[in-house]
């Protein structure tokens, strides 16, 4: 059921991934972090969430598409509006995915 | 072990899993289609527990890429964890090394966002983080298993609009954070830089580049605001 070389590759991926997750908290103590660095780190969550989605929404096919023909941008706008008006995450995600399905199914 | 906070972590993470489940399904289905066995497919979800890296490894397995190349790609895609870990590190200061190891193993994009948002709002809790991580891990394992079972019955799950599950999830996590001018500016910088870098630079470097420049911009802007006061 499992091939040795595939399992070894998966273990290597797991080690590489765990290294990226464990390293910072393992070597950085809270006391050793300067106020200036803390001020920078505070913004990492917002920055990383944005960086993970912005290209998918604005350039889903590898080039910038700022038009009504970009279904990702339309569904993303709907989801963002729902979240902005303080809808729960389920409504935000459901609304976004339903919009995407509607565009794909009916070509709205 | 604070049971109440553990369950709070589960409760806050569960809604987000609606966006993760389809991705786990898709991973399971695609992994079958490129010839990984069910055991290998599930093993990767259990050991690696990182959606983006797992997805990108699949075409590489299909092409017969070497172990070093696949592991190095996983490393590069997951470099953002270094930054995420840095921002969590001050909160985890009081924990032992094994506790840190256990909790960082489960630090995915979603569980990290839930955990750090709670830490910044009302304080860090290791039990809360564990609850969030367990929810993410179980969801990822179950959805992978579901994808394996569905197997070849669904040819391309991503064409169903399921590929939008991930952006929708991150939007649900991001928008509530944009409560002040500074956070909005950080978001705008990250958006601009990531889009330009994603178009101009091959690979996944845009994530790190945009995160670094936006967080630095946020730190500098905040510093100059403080100086004025």
């Amino acid at each position: 059921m499992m091939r040795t070389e595939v399992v070894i590759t998966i273990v290597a991926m797991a080690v590489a991934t765990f290294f990226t997750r464990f390293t910072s908290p393992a070597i950085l103590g809270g006391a050793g972090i300067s106020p200036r660095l803390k001020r920078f780190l505070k913004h990492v969550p917002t920055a990383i969430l944005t960086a993970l989605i912005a290209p998918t929404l604005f350039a889903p096919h590898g080039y910038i598409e700022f038009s009504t023909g970009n279904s990702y941008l339309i569904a993303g706008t709907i989801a963002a509006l729902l979240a902005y008006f303080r809808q729960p995450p389920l409504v935000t995600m459901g609304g976004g995915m339903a919009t995407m399905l509607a565009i794909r199914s009916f070509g709205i | 072990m604070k049971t109440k906070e553990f369950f709070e972590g589960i409760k806050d993470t569960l809604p987000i899993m609606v966006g993760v489940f389809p991705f786990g399904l898709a991973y399971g289905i695609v992994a079958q289609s490129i010839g990984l066995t069910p055991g290998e497919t599930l093993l990767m979800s259990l050991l690696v527990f990182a959606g983006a890296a797992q997805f990108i490894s699949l075409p590489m397995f299909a092409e017969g890429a070497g172990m070093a190349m696949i592991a190095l790609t996983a490393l590069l895609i997951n470099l953002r964890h270094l930054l995420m870990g840095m921002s969590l590190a001050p909160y985890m200061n009081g924990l032992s090394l094994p506790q840190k190891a256990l909790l960082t193993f489960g630090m995915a994009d979603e569980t990290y966002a839930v955990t750090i948002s709670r830490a910044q709002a009302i304080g860090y809790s290791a039990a809360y983080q564990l609850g969030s991580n367990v929810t993410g891990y179980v969801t990822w394992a179950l959805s992978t298993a579901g994808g394996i079972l569905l197997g070849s019955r669904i040819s391309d799950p991503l064409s169903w609009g399921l590929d939008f599950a991930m952006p929708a999830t991150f939007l649900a996590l991001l928008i509530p954070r944009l409560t002040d001018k500074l956070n909005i500016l950080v978001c705008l910088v990250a958006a601009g830089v990531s889009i330009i870098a994603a178009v101009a630079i091959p690979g996944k470097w845009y994530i790190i580049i945009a995160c670094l420049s936006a967080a630095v911009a946020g730190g500098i802007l905040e510093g100059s605001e403080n100086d004025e006061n």
Side-chain angles (χ1 to χ4, degrees), chain B residues 25 29-30 33 147 150-160 162:
Chain B
L25 279 181
I29 295 168
V30 176
S33 74
L150 284 173
S152 51
R153 263 169 272 183
I154 299 178
S155 58
D156 183 8
L158 295 184
S159 71
W160 286 42
L162 291 186

Side-chain angles (χ1 to χ4, degrees), chain B residues 107-195:
Chain B
M107 186 184 74
D109 295 322
E110 296 82 5
T111 57
Y112 162 76
V114 169
T115 300
I116 191 105
S117 290
R118 201 258 191 194
Q120 290 177 341
I122 55 172
Y124 172 78
S125 155
Y128 181 94
Q129 185 176 12
L130 187 64
S132 181
N133 289 359
V134 167
T135 311
Y137 191 74
V138 171
T139 305
W140 190 238
L142 286 180
S143 56
T144 299
I148 294 168
L149 291 176
L150 284 173
S152 51
R153 263 169 272 183
I154 299 178
S155 58
D156 183 8
L158 295 184
S159 71
W160 286 42
L162 291 186
D163 56 337
F164 193 68
M166 213 43 104
T169 305
F170 290 141
L171 277 170
L173 291 164
L174 170 69
I175 303 291
R177 300 186 57 87
L178 306 179
T179 48
D180 59 62
K181 206 172 66 183
L182 207 53
N183 262 309
I184 293 170
L185 275 168
V186 169
C187 174
L188 289 176
V189 173
V193 174
S194 65
I195 293 165

Side-chain angles (χ1 to χ4, degrees), chain B residues 94-113:
Chain B
L95 303 175
S96 71
L97 216 52
Q99 286 173 325
K100 284 182 183 177
L102 178 70
L103 288 173
T104 54
F105 172 78
M107 186 184 74
D109 295 322
E110 296 82 5
T111 57
Y112 162 76

Side-chain angles (χ1 to χ4, degrees), chain A residues 1 3 21 24 42 72 101, chain B residues 37 40 49 82 163 222:
Chain A
M1 283 290 276
R3 293 157 291 180
R21 286 176 167 151
S24 296
K42 208 176 86 186
Y72 289 85
L101 259 179
Chain B
T37 69
E40 292 159 357
F49 183 51
L82 287 173
D163 56 337
E222 190 171 350

Side-chain angles (χ1 to χ4, degrees), chain A:
Chain A
M1 283 290 276
M2 292 198 212
R3 293 157 291 180
T4 312
E5 73 274 19
V6 174
V7 171
I8 293 172
T9 306
I10 290 171
V11 169
M13 287 174 71
V15 170
T17 303
F18 181 69
F19 168 81
T20 63
R21 286 176 167 151
F22 183 52
T23 300
S24 296
I27 62 173
L28 288 176
I33 297 177
S34 72
R36 190 183 291 184
L37 185 57
K38 271 188 186 157
R39 213 159 54 201
F40 151 79
L41 291 175
K42 208 176 86 186
H43 297 290
V44 167
T46 297
I48 208 133
L49 286 170
T50 308
L52 284 170
I53 47 177
T56 312
L57 298 182
F58 290 92
H61 304 106
Y63 49 90
I64 295 170
E65 292 175 73
F66 201 78
S67 72
T68 51
N70 180 351
S71 54
Y72 289 85
L73 192 53
I74 294 169
T77 307
I78 302 282
L81 282 173
L82 288 169
Y84 179 74
F85 289 109
R86 298 180 181 280
Q87 297 299 315
L90 270 180
V91 178
T92 301
M93 294 185 290
M97 282 189 270
T99 307
M100 190 52 121
L101 259 179
I103 295 172
R104 295 249 172 99
S105 315
F106 307 110
I108 299 170

Side-chain angles (χ1 to χ4, degrees), chain B residues 1-148:
Chain B
M1 178 70 196
K2 296 176 180 104
T3 314
K4 184 169 155 281
E5 292 174 354
F6 177 77
F7 282 107
E8 271 173 25
I10 295 177
K11 198 186 74 174
D12 290 350
T13 309
L14 268 180
I16 298 301
M17 293 299 112
V18 173
V20 173
F21 205 90
F23 227 68
L25 279 181
Y27 160 74
I29 295 168
V30 176
Q32 301 309 289
S33 74
I34 63 105
L36 285 193
T37 69
E40 292 159 357
T41 306
L42 189 60
L43 183 74
M44 201 199 292
S45 280
L46 293 178
L47 294 185
V48 181
F49 183 51
Q54 289 180 225
F55 246 99
I56 285 158
S57 77
L58 295 180
M60 300 180 80
F61 273 108
E63 290 159 12
M67 177 190 84
M69 185 58 89
I70 295 176
L72 187 65
T73 305
L75 183 74
L76 289 180
I77 286 160
N78 288 324
L79 278 181
R80 67 184 186 282
H81 292 142
L82 287 173
L83 289 165
M84 288 155 55
M86 279 172 88
S87 72
L88 264 177
Y91 298 108
M92 303 180 82
N93 198 21
L95 303 175
S96 71
L97 216 52
Q99 286 173 325
K100 284 182 183 177
L102 178 70
L103 288 173
T104 54
F105 172 78
M107 186 184 74
D109 295 322
E110 296 82 5
T111 57
Y112 162 76
V114 169
T115 300
I116 191 105
S117 290
R118 201 258 191 194
Q120 290 177 341
I122 55 172
Y124 172 78
S125 155
Y128 181 94
Q129 185 176 12
L130 187 64
S132 181
N133 289 359
V134 167
T135 311
Y137 191 74
V138 171
T139 305
W140 190 238
L142 286 180
S143 56
T144 299
I148 294 168

